[in-house]
Amino acid sequence: MMQPTYILAVRTARRWAIGLTVGAASVALPGLLFAPRLLIAQSVSDLLSAGDRESVARRPSAALGNYERAVKAEPTSYVALWKAAREAVDLGEFEKNPETRTALYARATDYARRAVTANANDAEGHFQLARAVGRTALAVNPRERVKYAVEVRDEALRALQLHPKHPGALHVLGVWNAEVMRLNGFSRAVAKAFLGGQVLGSASWAEAIRYMELAVTAEPNRLVHHLDLARVYRDAGRRNEARAAYQAALRAPLQDANDDQYRKQADEELKKLT
């Protein structure tokens, strides 16, 4: 039996509409497949920006939270990893609870190691690893510190190979030399036996001063450079220069998360300087 004309027209229109829908879906499908990746990338970028804003505002806890969420979204994000390491060290430095401090330094070290794995050819990851391991070392007694000494020095030197004027790496090497020189005779003898004399034997007050002065030159407005330079001058017996460096620390603007504490330390240590 012949189908009515209007029924054939309806069926034809329906087939035409279905064809359009399927065709549109096949065109849109690749975009839909890539959409989650785009959303993740956008999310990581937003989290990094939020972390940066908190870091500039000197709120390390909030900054770390954003960076850690970025790491969770993209576990191999080099930038998120080294920035998370930075904030974790900042939080740990003045943490009064030893267990919490140790945990923060462990997190920082883990993030920094992962950053170096993600990108071994950028200085920042190596610097943050040197900094995290160095802070871990400074939080333990002098005899335990020596086991960290080689890695701190190696990572800071690697950062300088990649970025010869990296202020943070220069600072780390200045402090490294000073801390070796501050070891008493017995501890230094143990350290040399443990590490071999060559590495620790390269340390000197002259090198501590040289590196710290270079850090100040590279970043003249950073309070912590002036503070640690003052301490090196003081312990090397150069009191007048120490006094000037402490005064420079007190004049420096507040930029970093712990600058309030650094300024307080500078003021207290300057008063004690004779």
Side-chain angles (χ1 to χ4, degrees), residues 116-173:
V116 170
T117 299
N119 183 0
N121 295 316
D122 185 77
E124 204 61 40
H126 293 282
F127 161 59
Q128 294 300 338
L129 181 53
R131 184 172 180 246
V133 175
R135 281 294 170 191
T136 300
L138 290 174
V140 299
N141 68 62
R143 291 185 65 178
E144 287 185 83
R145 269 176 218 172
V146 298
K147 66 183 179 183
Y148 300 102
V150 171
E151 185 174 20
V152 172
R153 179 176 179 271
D154 286 351
E155 291 299 326
L157 286 173
R158 178 59 181 149
L160 286 181
Q161 287 175 350
L162 295 165
H163 182 347
K165 294 184 179 180
H166 191 290
L170 292 167
H171 188 128
V172 167
L173 286 169

Side-chain angles (χ1 to χ4, degrees), residues 46-100:
D46 291 344
L47 287 166
L48 289 173
S49 295
D52 290 346
R53 287 192 296 271
E54 297 293 351
S55 184
V56 169
R58 301 194 300 131
R59 293 190 287 261
S61 183
L64 178 59
N66 282 293
Y67 294 139
E68 287 188 320
R69 284 190 284 277
V71 169
K72 187 175 181 179
E74 190 177 326
T76 58
S77 169
Y78 172 69
V79 174
L81 287 163
W82 75 252
K83 289 185 176 182
R86 178 189 65 197
E87 302 301 320
V89 169
D90 284 344
L91 280 171
E93 188 174 354
F94 289 92
E95 172 57 51
K96 294 180 180 179
N97 185 301
E99 292 180 359
T100 304

Side-chain angles (χ1 to χ4, degrees), residues 160-216:
L160 286 181
Q161 287 175 350
L162 295 165
H163 182 347
K165 294 184 179 180
H166 191 290
L170 292 167
H171 188 128
V172 167
L173 286 169
V175 172
W176 185 90
N177 277 272
E179 287 301 316
V180 172
M181 298 306 295
R182 287 172 183 139
L183 291 171
N184 62 40
F186 176 76
S187 296
R188 200 179 305 175
V190 171
K192 285 184 178 181
F194 183 79
L195 298 172
Q198 187 173 0
V199 173
L200 266 69
S202 66
S204 68
W205 286 118
E207 281 295 274
I209 291 168
R210 183 176 75 87
Y211 278 119
M212 286 310 310
E213 287 179 341
L214 287 170
V216 167

